[in-house]
Amino acid sequence: MFDVVVIGSGPAGYVAAIKASQLGLKTLCIEESVDNKGNANFGGTCLNVGCIPSKALLDSSHRYYEANKKLSEHGIEIGELKLDLSLMMKRKDDIVNKLTGGINGLFSSNKVESYSGRGKIIDANTVEVVKADGAVEKIETKNIIIATGSKPIEIPSAPFGKNIVDSTGALGFTKVPETLGVVGAGIIGLELGSVWSRLGSKVTVIEALDDFLPMADKDISKESFKEFKKQGLDIKLSSTVIKCSEHKEYVSVSYECQGEEINKKFEKLIVAVGRYPNSSGVIGEKVNISINKGFIEVNEFCQTSVPNIWAVGDVVRGPMLAHKGSEEGIMVAERIAEKQAQVNYDLVPSVIYSHPEIAWVGHNEDELKLKKIDYKVGKFPFAASGRALAVDQSVGFVKVLSDKKTDTILGVHVFGPAAAEIVQQALISMEFGASSEDISLTMFSHPTVSEAFHEAALAANNQAIHIGNKK
Ligand code: FAD
Ligand code: NAI
């Protein structure tokens, strides 16, 4: 009998399994994905086909773009530039293999047992595993954690095929497409659209909504939209795909843009219109757990209506982000071990790894207006940061929003260099209830791009040194 059986080994599942075992619970993790040798392939979407490979390609493509377009501004001439895409892909695959293989090591050093196969909950204490060869085994356990993740949404007007691909397909092109269509100007569309644009594709992004990045602060949406366009992403807002047809070498796409029908050919089309929770077939008929639009219903502690069955990560409500899933995994392991754990869902950071990066935490201005919270704004442009100018990354700004009466920081929004790291500094301070004055009174190394956070905090109280203050 196990204390905990975890179904799924993505960042929610494998972290939950390691934590549970560290807390002295006898733990098993079941994973259905297998590698080319038939062994369980741990790490889920994030390590295999998500966060890690996309960031590897974002970095490689950025270096290529810099070498191609930017180094000459620094007086560096490199002659003829060549792209070896297969080597770039190999580097990405090597990083993925290192990390996914590393989970095997983490499991064994933390005494987590693992099983290759598809898990299904039969009753509150039994998980059935169907192995790749069809053999079935039943496992008894005191607690179950569902961490089965999510998969790309497919739309009827653009079904996946040879040239119409999801994010996984877009991480493995063997040739740079001359023309690339992307359906969805969300996080994947912008990150992977940027990768292929930097490598030479002419990229058109087809987005259904009228607004660009509606979940971000309005100033960031506006400025980043201009910047993405400048970088070559032709973003068509208010546009819907009507139909697509696959041809041997290309895809024909008809889409409607503000009442007009447009027909285009793309060598490849990436469809990135969101992800759907992977809950189908995981919960047996005899187990009474509600599923809403694919999401397994849980309380704030990720507990389902069956008290010893828990669910974490993309398969439950909340943002589909690796760090959110991992924190939920840790919370659940601790609660099973009868500790008082919780996740602060008010402070989940968001990052888009474009260049410059976009990142935020807490509320944006629209949300504060909607909640009728009085706030003040401190904004500092990277154009006034010595370090940002020195490293040629002076686009964007830091914006600090704090409570008008108490000065408590309510949100920090960054478009610019190291945005993710700056927002992480903000998040740590917000966890400790910092005010913009607390940040103002903190010493920042010079010259760093983080100084823009310091100045934005000063600006919230009209005390900025390196820009003019409001009269
Ligand atoms: P998953 O990672 O999806 O893992 C679920 C696992 O469960 C899989 O391995 C699956 O095979 C297994 N499984 C499913 N059903 C069963 C079953 N019945 N039995 C056994 N095993 C099963 N997030 C970020 O925070 N930062 C990023 O930079 C980022 N970049 C991304 C880039 C891309 C291209 C994509 C697609 C996603 C990205 N994400 C990013 C999102 C991130 O990958 C997910 O939020 C995260 O992987 C979710 O973790 P999870 O453990 O809930 O699920
Ligand atoms: P998304 O939700 O970020 O964006 C999807 C976009 O597609 C939206 O703008 C939506 O309006 C648009 N859309 C939906 N249906 C459409 C249609 N029929 N035609 C045209 N546009 C349409 O989803 P995405 O980009 O697929 O990413 C999925 C999730 O993966 C993200 O929400 C995020 O949680 C995670 N992710 C996180 C990353 C990060 O943290 N840096 C990177 C990549 C993914």
Side-chain angles (χ1 to χ4, degrees), residues 71-385:
L71 287 190
S72 56
E73 286 171 22
H74 296 256
I76 304 168
E77 293 296 341
I78 48 174
E80 197 196 345
L81 191 67
K82 274 197 194 141
L83 173 66
D84 185 339
L85 185 61
S86 61
L87 207 58
M88 194 179 276
M89 291 292 172
K90 184 181 174 302
R91 172 185 174 273
K92 171 206 68 167
D93 294 339
D94 287 347
I95 296 167
V96 167
N97 292 336
K98 193 172 180 177
L99 289 172
T100 53
I103 294 183
N104 268 314
L106 288 174
F107 275 177
S108 62
S109 61
N110 285 287
K111 300 192 175 58
V112 174
E113 294 183 43
S114 62
Y115 221 112
S116 179
R118 182 170 171 77
K120 181 176 175 179
I121 303 172
I122 301 301
D123 61 45
N125 295 104
T126 316
V127 178
E128 177 188 87
V129 185
V130 181
K131 299 185 203 165
D133 62 6
V136 178
E137 193 164 322
K138 288 206 167 95
I139 295 163
E140 300 298 307
T141 178
K142 291 183 190 155
N143 293 279
I144 300 168
I145 304 177
I146 307 169
T148 46
S150 64
K151 55 181 181 250
I153 292 176
E154 187 168 17
I155 50 174
S157 54
F160 298 132
K162 177 173 166 272
N163 295 315
I164 304 178
V165 299
D166 60 12
S167 54
T168 304
L171 289 166
F173 292 152
T174 49
K175 156 179 183 292
V176 178
E178 266 179 46
T179 51
L180 175 66
V182 180
V183 186
I187 312 189
I188 293 182
L190 295 172
E191 289 189 358
L192 296 184
S194 295
V195 163
W196 293 106
S197 166
R198 292 169 192 168
L199 297 177
S201 297
K202 193 169 167 1
V203 179
T204 307
V205 185
I206 301 165
E207 165 59 47
L209 296 180
D210 303 336
D211 295 328
F212 179 66
L213 287 183
M215 65 288 202
D217 189 88
K218 280 274 178 309
D219 280 349
I220 289 192
S221 312
K222 252 190 262 160
E223 277 212 32
S224 65
F225 185 70
K226 281 191 246 155
E227 186 60 26
F228 281 118
K229 285 224 153 195
K230 216 162 90 188
Q231 292 178 4
L233 297 193
D234 186 8
I235 303 169
K236 311 285 189 197
L237 297 175
S238 322
S239 298
T240 327
V241 176
I242 305 164
K243 76 170 194 299
C244 297
S245 41
E246 281 254 19
H247 301 266
K248 197 164 169 237
E249 305 290 339
Y250 64 93
V251 186
S252 316
V253 179
S254 310
Y255 66 94
E256 193 184 296
C257 180
Q258 291 158 9
E260 192 190 341
E261 184 172 330
I262 296 165
N263 295 297
K264 273 206 154 205
K265 282 181 187 172
F266 299 109
E267 206 175 310
K268 296 279 181 193
L269 182 74
I270 305 173
V271 179
V273 294
R275 294 177 62 83
Y276 193 78
N278 229 340
S279 55
S280 150
V282 184
I283 300 170
E285 306 71 41
K286 287 189 201 148
V287 186
N288 192 15
I289 291 176
S290 306
I291 295 179
N292 184 3
K293 295 187 181 135
F295 292 101
I296 294 175
E297 290 209 338
V298 289
N299 64 15
E300 76 263 46
F301 303 121
C302 292
Q303 190 171 30
T304 70
S305 49
V306 180
N308 68 322
I309 304 182
W310 311 73
V312 293
D314 282 11
V315 78
V316 300
R317 83 285 173 265
M320 289 183 167
L321 296 171
H323 41 275
K324 174 262 190 189
S326 296
E327 288 307 311
E328 288 180 336
I330 289 187
M331 168 179 71
V332 166
E334 290 191 327
R335 293 194 81 85
I336 291 173
E338 293 176 359
K339 293 182 183 294
Q340 292 300 316
Q342 60 187 43
V343 167
N344 183 357
Y345 287 103
D346 290 336
L347 294 182
V348 178
S350 296
V351 182
I352 303 177
Y353 294 86
S354 47
H355 190 85
E357 285 176 357
I358 294 169
W360 69 88
V361 63
H363 291 302
N364 62 37
E365 287 201 59
D366 282 352
E367 288 165 353
L368 292 173
K369 280 178 196 149
L370 209 67
K371 287 182 172 238
K372 297 196 170 32
I373 297 173
D374 279 344
Y375 63 94
K376 45 194 178 178
V377 182
K379 197 170 164 187
F380 188 81
F382 283 107
S385 151

Side-chain angles (χ1 to χ4, degrees), residues 7-8 10-12 31-32 44-46 50-51 55 119 148-149 313-314 320-322:
I7 307 177
E31 173 54 58
E32 73 169 329
T45 306
C46 173
C51 324
K55 267 79 251 177
T148 46
D314 282 11
M320 289 183 167
L321 296 171

